[in-house]
Structures are given as structure tokens and as C-alpha cells.
Amino acid sequence: MALAVGTQAPDFNVKDTNGNAVTLAGLAGKKVVMYFYPKDDTPGCTKQACSFRDNYAVYQDKGIVILGVSKDSESDHQAFTKKFDLPFPLLADINGEIIAAYDVDGGGYAKRVTYAIDETGKIVHVDSSVKTDTHANDVLKALGY
């Protein structure tokens, strides 16, 4: 079961698409949408990532950081990012530590769950009924944008 709204989001320290270390603490003061997904370059995951890509300017205008999280490696993330021109980082949770902390373990992969986290690190929205092709718009609507 996903973490509840109002919960303090667990911190993490993991590498992104380009090998840069990313922590939630390092994003303090920013709104974050962190979406978990099963696997790079699969049909549903591609639709979901492209939904965020196509709405990236709106997220930037609202000051929202987008992070995609799966168990794929940095090199898999690099290929996926390049193939679909993704403008936001993907986190390589190879050991599944973030997936476990956010309670989205699907048994070897991440369940499709999205968390919106406010500037103080509190979870303000959870979406576990993701429609991959409209997901980015659905999250914006849920956040009141």
C-alpha cells in the first residue's frame, strides 16, 4: 500500500540518468512529482514518460521538479531518455531502496504510483490509478493547476 498523504516523504540518495547524485533533501524548497514505473521502453511506461515530456514546460512554469524512478540502470535510463527526448532525470533505483521506502514494490519492479511532494517534503498527493497517456495532466489537475 502506498504512503499516505501528509506523510513525510522518505529521503534517498541515488544516481540519475547521467550519474549525478540526487537526494530529496537536496530538493528542499521545491515541489517534486516523483513517479514510479516498472520498466524503461515498455509501452505503458513510454506513454507515461512522454506524457510528462509533453507537459514539461507547464511543470517548469509551476516550479515542479519531475523525477521518474525504476530499477533500470543508468545506461538503460540514458537510452530511454535519448530515444524519447525526455527532459527530466530518471533515477536508477537498481537495489530497490527507494521503491521499498515508498512502498511501491511490485515484486522485482516498481508499481506504477506517483507522489507529489511539497516544498517541506510532505506528500500532498498520491496517484495509484495511473492512466499512462494522460498522467501528467491528471497530476496537474489533482494539484489544482
Side-chain angles (χ1 to χ4, degrees), residues 15-130:
K15 302 278 187 191
D16 71 6
T17 313
N18 298 311
N20 301 312
V22 178
T23 64
L24 186 59
L27 297 170
K30 297 181 181 182
K31 298 173 196 163
V32 177
V33 167
M34 191 160 60
Y35 77 95
F36 291 87
Y37 64 98
K39 182 128 182 76
D40 286 347
D41 208 3
T42 57
C45 298
T46 299
K47 284 181 190 175
Q48 187 176 16
C50 290
S51 174
F52 280 110
R53 177 200 65 202
D54 296 346
N55 289 278
Y56 186 67
V58 177
Y59 278 83
Q60 282 195 305
D61 288 345
K62 305 295 182 196
I64 301 171
V65 174
I66 300 170
L67 300 173
V69 185
S70 76
K71 291 185 86 170
D72 293 293
S73 68
E74 291 170 43
S75 60
D76 286 343
H77 283 340
Q78 288 167 0
F80 187 46
T81 295
K82 184 175 180 179
K83 183 175 181 179
F84 294 101
D85 197 26
L86 304 179
F88 50 85
L90 302 175
L91 305 184
D93 189 23
I94 297 166
N95 297 325
E97 292 170 13
I98 304 171
I99 290 166
Y102 282 79
D103 203 16
V104 296
D105 190 339
Y109 63 91
K111 292 180 191 172
R112 199 179 303 281
V113 176
T114 297
Y115 290 97
I117 303 165
D118 73 9
E119 298 88 342
T120 68
K122 286 231 187 320
I123 296 170
V124 295
H125 174 70
V126 180
D127 186 349
S128 55
S129 299
V130 173

